[in-house]
Amino acid sequence: MATEEFPDSFADVLGGVQRLIRRRLRAGMPEPRLRGAQVELLRLVMAQPGVRVSAAAKELYLAGNSVSTLVNQLVKAGYLHRETDPEDRRSARLTATPAAVARLREWQARRGALVREQVVKLSESERAALAAAVPALRKLAENLHEEVEGI
């Protein structure tokens, strides 16, 4: 593959793998179905309990009103608690409910099983190539994150 073609092909494959994983996982998950942005917000709230809506928007690179909409949806579904921030009454802090924790743990377990199931179908050299690529992929994600922070 020509060097100039690599970035586009690489991005297409990454996006395609992510979409296929999501589609496969949706099949056996309970209702309501969660969209990608909802899952990302729940994962962030679980990693940073008490995060403010504005901080979540910044971390996810979404508009504040978009995150507020996601919060409203997830509160209604019983996956988030929204509490007034005692330090700033205009702000809300978010925590995941036990139902959200259980749902994300199930999703992570199913995702891990799905990926393991597919990885074992690859040749040993293909598995080694994927494993060797993980540090570079982490660095790519870090670079993209830092670049967006600078904007």
Side-chain angles (χ1 to χ4, degrees), residues 129-148:
L130 287 177
V134 170
L137 289 168
R138 280 197 180 113
K139 182 63 176 171
L140 176 63
E142 183 181 304
N143 290 348
L144 287 166
H145 184 78
E146 288 173 1
E147 197 170 287
V148 171

Side-chain angles (χ1 to χ4, degrees), residues 50-61:
V51 67
R52 289 185 174 126
V53 173
S54 58
K58 184 178 179 184
E59 182 74 22
L60 297 172
Y61 305 105

Side-chain angles (χ1 to χ4, degrees), residues 54-71:
S54 58
K58 184 178 179 184
E59 182 74 22
L60 297 172
Y61 305 105
L62 294 172
N65 62 343
S66 296
V67 173
S68 291
T69 298
L70 294 171
V71 168

Side-chain angles (χ1 to χ4, degrees), residues 7-23 26 137 140:
D8 287 335
S9 296
F10 179 73
D12 289 345
V13 168
L14 280 181
V17 167
Q18 183 63 24
R19 272 190 309 280
L20 289 166
I21 288 172
R22 276 197 312 265
R23 284 181 187 151
R26 274 190 209 132
L137 289 168
L140 176 63

Side-chain angles (χ1 to χ4, degrees), residues 21-128:
I21 288 172
R22 276 197 312 265
R23 284 181 187 151
R24 292 278 306 270
L25 291 177
R26 274 190 209 132
M29 291 301 289
E31 296 292 329
R33 285 199 169 140
L34 297 178
R35 295 188 342 254
Q38 292 171 319
V39 172
E40 286 182 42
L41 177 58
L42 285 175
R43 290 177 73 190
L44 175 65
V45 170
M46 285 178 58
Q48 299 177 31
V51 67
R52 289 185 174 126
V53 173
S54 58
K58 184 178 179 184
E59 182 74 22
L60 297 172
Y61 305 105
L62 294 172
N65 62 343
S66 296
V67 173
S68 291
T69 298
L70 294 171
V71 168
N72 290 335
Q73 293 166 347
L74 292 168
V75 166
K76 184 178 178 182
Y79 291 126
L80 277 183
H81 288 298
R82 176 181 37 214
E83 298 172 357
T84 302
D85 185 341
E87 297 172 17
D88 180 358
R89 310 283 306 157
R90 298 168 296 164
S91 222
R93 292 196 172 265
L94 305 172
T95 54
T97 66
V101 172
R103 177 127 181 209
L104 280 184
R105 284 193 179 138
E106 177 188 357
W107 177 81
Q108 289 168 330
R110 291 183 68 229
R111 181 185 65 176
L114 172 63
V115 172
R116 276 189 299 280
E117 172 188 304
Q118 296 306 311
V119 167
V120 299
K121 294 177 181 179
L122 300 174
S123 71
E124 189 171 327
S125 63
E126 290 166 329
R127 288 192 302 271

